[in-house]
Amino acid sequence: MEYHHDRIQGIEREGLLYIDDDGRERTIDFETCRRNWMNHSGQSESRCIAWRDIQSEPPYIEFFSDPKIRFTFPYKRTWREKWKRHPSELGERYFQATVDALDREGWTTFDLS
């Protein structure tokens, strides 16, 4: 499943609240994401719950929920950002704010970029 990042309503220690396509509030359980990540990566202990790629078009953070849920950060890049192969400044700001919020709650994300 894929959603625009503006669907995210909040990030807490236990999970992420978001609005689904039917307008209902849903929760991504971070403990489930952590277990799924450990099964995927083969690690025995980890606080990782998602992977992220700021160089992707559009940039995204994808959680190891069941099923996986991806939040995108689709902002138009200026010609200079395209030329330098940088993400859009606005998209990067929202992307980093989301990663920082997860970090503050004690969770990590795996960087694919």
Side-chain angles (χ1 to χ4, degrees), residues 31-88:
E31 188 57 36
T32 298
C33 294
R34 184 184 77 83
R35 282 193 306 273
N36 290 342
W37 168 258
M38 289 189 308
N39 288 337
H40 172 80
S41 67
Q43 295 178 350
S44 59
E45 280 301 315
S46 177
R47 298 290 294 165
C48 188
I49 56 172
W51 52 26
R52 59 188 157 89
D53 190 348
I54 198 162
Q55 298 298 326
S56 180
E57 195 59 50
Y60 67 87
I61 299 173
E62 185 171 78
F63 291 87
F64 274 81
S65 51
D66 192 16
K68 288 181 184 170
I69 297 176
R70 176 180 288 198
F71 291 95
T72 61
F73 300 78
Y75 292 90
K76 192 170 184 169
R77 297 182 299 164
T78 65
W79 68 269
R80 182 165 294 170
E81 290 167 336
K82 287 180 187 177
W83 181 69
K84 291 184 175 184
R85 296 184 176 193
H86 286 206
S88 98

Side-chain angles (χ1 to χ4, degrees), residues 24-35:
R24 289 181 280 177
E25 192 172 86
R26 300 286 184 182
T27 302
I28 294 175
D29 177 63
F30 289 160
E31 188 57 36
T32 298
C33 294
R34 184 184 77 83
R35 282 193 306 273

